[in-house]
Amino acid sequence: MWAMTYSTTRHRHGRYDMPTWLFQGSPKDFPAFDNYLRNYAEISWHVRQKRAAEEIYPDDEVYIWRLEGNHPGTGGIVAHGILTTEARVIPDEGKKSWVRHQPGPTIPSVDITLDDVRLTPDEGCLTRADLLEDAVLWNMHVVQSPHLTNYKLTSEEEERVATLWRAAKR
């Protein structure tokens, strides 16, 4: 008898491979970074990597990574949300004005509904230092080479980040 096997990855809207993303931002480029995350449940983010823009769909999970900027020890995963749009080029209408260096007019953006913002270790953020000590996450692309804006997590990274994020909730 033939048996069908299913992947253990999430399945929504007919997609079996539901990636989890990590979007990075820098307080150097965006001085109001923390305020933006803390004060808005609906945010926009640029998608600078063409491949990422082609693979992003509504309902994908996303974590927000804050670079340390001029404040050592503050970098790491500080928020979680769900993508609500595909990557698309839209008129500015104030959505891109929060960054110091405006992207070109062909850089797409996505909208994100934030459901959990943790800006400090006391609130349960996952610091870069913590991730460097983790046996799975120490080698994440964003930890070792933080030069991109959008990162697609591997399934192993996705599971480990989700586990640590749940465990760190205060």
Side-chain angles (χ1 to χ4, degrees), residues 26-47:
S26 173
K28 285 182 178 180
D29 292 331
F30 176 28
F33 187 94
D34 288 358
N35 288 336
Y36 185 63
L37 297 180
R38 175 86 65 213
N39 294 320
Y40 298 97
E42 305 290 329
I43 65 172
S44 293
W45 214 267
H46 300 124
V47 182

Side-chain angles (χ1 to χ4, degrees), residues 1-168:
M1 180 178 168
W2 179 77
M4 181 179 272
T5 60
Y6 292 94
S7 168
T8 59
T9 58
R10 294 165 289 150
H11 174 236
R12 286 179 276 166
H13 302 289
R15 292 175 56 222
Y16 286 95
D17 180 22
M18 295 291 295
T20 297
W21 299 93
L22 195 144
F23 289 0
Q24 176 174 255
S26 173
K28 285 182 178 180
D29 292 331
F30 176 28
F33 187 94
D34 288 358
N35 288 336
Y36 185 63
L37 297 180
R38 175 86 65 213
N39 294 320
Y40 298 97
E42 305 290 329
I43 65 172
S44 293
W45 214 267
H46 300 124
V47 182
R48 295 180 185 270
Q49 285 69 45
K50 183 178 180 182
R51 184 171 178 174
E54 295 169 351
E55 296 179 15
I56 286 174
Y57 289 95
D59 292 331
D60 287 352
E61 284 185 85
V62 62
Y63 290 93
I64 304 296
W65 178 277
R66 176 181 59 209
L67 282 170
E68 293 184 352
N70 294 325
H71 304 285
T74 61
I77 298 173
V78 296
H80 175 270
I82 302 294
L83 297 175
T84 57
T85 62
E86 292 182 0
R88 76 261 187 253
V89 177
I90 57 172
D92 185 340
E93 296 175 9
K95 290 191 174 216
K96 296 179 185 175
S97 62
W98 53 267
V99 292
R100 182 174 291 150
H101 304 290
Q102 296 297 319
T106 60
I107 300 296
S109 296
V110 292
D111 290 340
I112 304 166
T113 298
L114 295 175
D115 57 19
D116 196 359
V117 176
R118 307 176 194 174
L119 299 174
T120 67
D122 288 343
E123 295 173 338
C125 73
L126 300 178
T127 67
R128 181 179 186 276
D130 292 337
L131 299 179
L132 280 170
E133 295 176 9
D134 187 86
V136 174
L137 302 176
W138 72 272
N139 200 30
M140 277 192 340
H141 196 166
V142 71
V143 173
Q144 297 300 323
S145 181
H147 304 293
L148 303 176
T149 303
N150 317 101
Y151 299 84
K152 183 177 177 182
L153 298 181
T154 66
S155 58
E156 185 178 36
E157 292 167 347
E158 172 189 336
E159 288 177 28
R160 186 66 180 148
V161 167
T163 297
L164 292 175
W165 188 254
R166 283 191 301 272

